[in-house]
C-alpha cells in the first residue's frame, strides 16, 4: 500500500475551541499564578528562567507536572519514561488545555496535530516546544478484532482511496483546512452494517461539530468512504478512548478509528490495518 504521511504536510487548520479561552481565567494583562506554581513570566513579560517555555530538552519532563489524555500514547509514554513526573489524566485534550491555562500543570503531552489545534485556539497563551516528548514516531491504523477477515478488505479499500485521490482530498480538507469538494460516496449494494468505535475528543481526526451532535473529522469521513468502497453501511459509536478496546473485544463495535497507534501491547488484543498517519508526541506549554 502506498504510505501517505500526513505529518509531512503543511498544517494550516484553524481551531475553534473557544471553551479553552473562556475558561482560562483572568485577563490577558495579568501574570497572576496559582499558589505553589512558578510564575510563567517575569515583570518584563519574558518567560521566567525556570519556565517550561525555556526547557531545552524533553529531559525536563522527568519531574514535571504533565496533563495527558487518558489511555493514549502520550499517557503511556509519560508513565513509562518519566516515573517521577506528576501525571494528570483527562478524558479530553481540551480538558488538558484547561489544566495548563489554569496553572495546575507545566505542560500537555499530546499527538502533534491535536497539539497544534490546541495552540491555534490559544495562540496568545500557548506554544509547542521545538522538540518532541520522544524521538519515537507512532503510526495510526484502524483496529479490528483478532483474526478478522475485514482487515484485508480495509487494506484493499485504503489502497483504492489512495489511488483515486480521495485520501489526498481528505487530507486537504481536514488537515490543511483547504476549501476542497469531496467526491460523492461510491454507490454500492449493502452487504450489511459496520459499527465504528471512536472518541470524538481528538480534532482534527474526530470531534463534535458546533451543533453539539454531528461527529466530524478526518477519521469520520475516511471511514465513510472506506465502508462505502467495501459495500457496508456505517454506524458510529462515540465513547471514552480507554473504553474502545473493550468495546471491540466484546463485539459492541466492529472496528476502531480514533487516532489509534500501533503498539505491541495493542497488537496482543487487536489486529491493525496498514498505517495511514505518522505522528509524534508534542509538548505544549504556556508562553
Amino acid at each position: 500500500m502506498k504510505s501517505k504521511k500526513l505529518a509531512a504536510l503543511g498544517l494550516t487548520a484553524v481551531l475553534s475551541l473557544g471553551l479553552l479561552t473562556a475558561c482560562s481565567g483572568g485577563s490577558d494583562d495579568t501574570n497572576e499564578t496559582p499558589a505553589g506554581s512558578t510564575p510563567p513570566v517575569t515583570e518584563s513579560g519574558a518567560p521566567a528562567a525556570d519556565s517550561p517555555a525555556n526547557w531545552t530538552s524533553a529531559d525536563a519532563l522527568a519531574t514535571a507536572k504533565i496533563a495527558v489524555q487518558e489511555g493514549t500514547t502520550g499517557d503511556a509514554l509519560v508513565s513509562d519514561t518519566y516515573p517521577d513526573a506528576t501525571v494528570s489524566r483527562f478524558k479530553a485534550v481540551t480538558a488538558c488545555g484547561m489544566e495548563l491555562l489554569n496553572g495546575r500543570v507545566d505542560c500537555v503531552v499530546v499527538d502533534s496535530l491535536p497539539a497544534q489545534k490546541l495552540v491555534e485556539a490559544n495562540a496568545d497563551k500557548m506554544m509547542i516546544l521545538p522538540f518532541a516528548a520522544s524521538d519515537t514516531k507512532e503510526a495510526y491504523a484502524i483496529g479490528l478484532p483478532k483474526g478478522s477477515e475485514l482487515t484485508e478488505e480495509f487494506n484493499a479499500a485504503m489502497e483504492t482511496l489512495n489511488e483515486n485521490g480521495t485520501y489526498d482530498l481528505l487530507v486537504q480538507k481536514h488537515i490543511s483546512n483547504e476549501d476542497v469538494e469531496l467526491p460523492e460516496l461510491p454507490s454500492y449494494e449493502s452487504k450489511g452494517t459496520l459499527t465504528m468505535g471512536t472518541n470524538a475528543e481528538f480534532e482534527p481526526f474526530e470531534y463534535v461539530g458546533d451543533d453539539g451532535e454531528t461527529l466530524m473529522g478526518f477519521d469520520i469521513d475516511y471511514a465513510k468512504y472506506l465502508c462505502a468502497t467495501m459495500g457496508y453501511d456505517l454506524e458510529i459509536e462515540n465513547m471514552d478512548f480507554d473504553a474502545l478496546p473493550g468495546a471491540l473485544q466484546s463485539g459492541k463495535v466492529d472496528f476502531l478509528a480514533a487516532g489509534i497507534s500501533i503498539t505491541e501491547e495493542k497488537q496482543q488484543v487487536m489486529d491493525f490495518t496498514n498505517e495511514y498517519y505518522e505522528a509524534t508526541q508534542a509538548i505544549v506549554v504556556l508562553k
Side-chain angles (χ1 to χ4, degrees):
M1 170 180 163
K2 300 176 183 175
S3 180
K4 308 278 187 166
K5 306 300 182 185
L6 302 190
L9 296 170
L11 302 176
T12 58
V14 177
L15 177 66
S16 56
L17 292 178
L19 179 59
L20 286 180
T21 303
C23 295
S24 61
S27 60
D28 291 344
D29 58 357
T30 180
N31 290 328
E32 293 182 0
T33 306
S37 298
T38 301
V41 297
T42 63
E43 291 184 0
S44 67
D50 54 353
S51 166
N54 286 326
W55 288 349
T56 57
S57 78
D59 292 341
L61 295 172
T63 56
K65 299 175 183 177
I66 307 170
V68 297
Q69 186 181 18
E70 186 175 14
T72 61
T73 300
D75 184 359
L77 169 68
V78 169
S79 300
D80 294 344
T81 310
Y82 306 107
D84 294 328
T86 301
V87 183
S88 299
R89 297 174 174 85
F90 301 90
K91 297 296 185 183
V93 175
T94 51
C96 296
M98 291 177 193
E99 197 76 351
L100 178 62
L101 287 170
N102 289 326
R104 289 190 286 264
V105 295
D106 299 314
C107 65
V108 176
V109 173
V110 67
D111 296 49
S112 49
L113 278 178
Q116 176 138 351
K117 296 293 188 179
L118 195 61
V119 169
E120 287 175 353
N122 300 272
D124 59 334
K125 298 180 178 70
M126 296 182 184
M127 59 182 282
I128 296 175
L129 293 179
F131 48 86
S134 169
D135 293 333
T136 303
K137 292 186 177 181
E138 59 188 284
Y140 291 174
I142 291 169
L144 295 126
K146 296 291 289 184
S148 174
E149 296 180 356
L150 286 172
T151 304
E152 289 307 314
E153 284 193 62
F154 269 103
N155 284 336
M158 292 166 77
E159 179 68 17
T160 296
L161 297 187
N162 283 344
E163 292 180 345
N164 67 20
T166 300
Y167 177 94
D168 289 332
L169 289 173
L170 289 170
V171 169
Q172 293 171 36
K173 177 180 176 65
H174 292 290
I175 308 305
S176 301
N177 201 32
E178 296 178 23
D179 185 16
V180 298
E181 184 176 348
L182 296 177
E184 293 184 3
L185 291 175
S187 57
Y188 62 95
E189 183 175 341
S190 179
K191 297 187 292 186
T193 299
L194 295 180
T195 302
M196 163 182 153
T198 195
N199 170 242
E201 299 284 357
F202 206 62
E203 190 170 0
F205 292 97
E206 40 270 323
Y207 59 98
V208 180
D210 292 338
D211 63 3
E213 297 180 359
T214 305
L215 298 183
M216 307 176 69
F218 179 89
D219 284 342
I220 305 300
D221 279 350
Y222 194 33
K224 291 177 181 177
Y225 283 96
L226 287 171
C227 285
T229 299
M230 294 186 294
Y232 293 100
D233 300 325
L234 174 65
E235 292 184 356
I236 302 176
E237 290 283 343
N238 184 26
M239 62 190 74
D240 290 341
F241 188 85
D242 56 358
L244 291 171
L248 183 67
Q249 290 177 294
S250 69
K252 181 178 180 180
V253 300
D254 298 301
F255 70 96
L256 305 178
I260 296 178
S261 303
I262 303 172
T263 66
E264 291 184 3
E265 181 180 4
K266 292 190 183 79
Q267 286 176 321
Q268 295 177 11
V269 297
M270 68 180 78
D271 288 340
F272 286 99
T273 63
N274 295 329
E275 66 182 77
Y276 64 87
Y277 170 67
E278 190 174 85
T280 57
Q281 291 296 310
I283 306 172
V284 180
V285 301
L286 295 179
K287 289 185 174 180

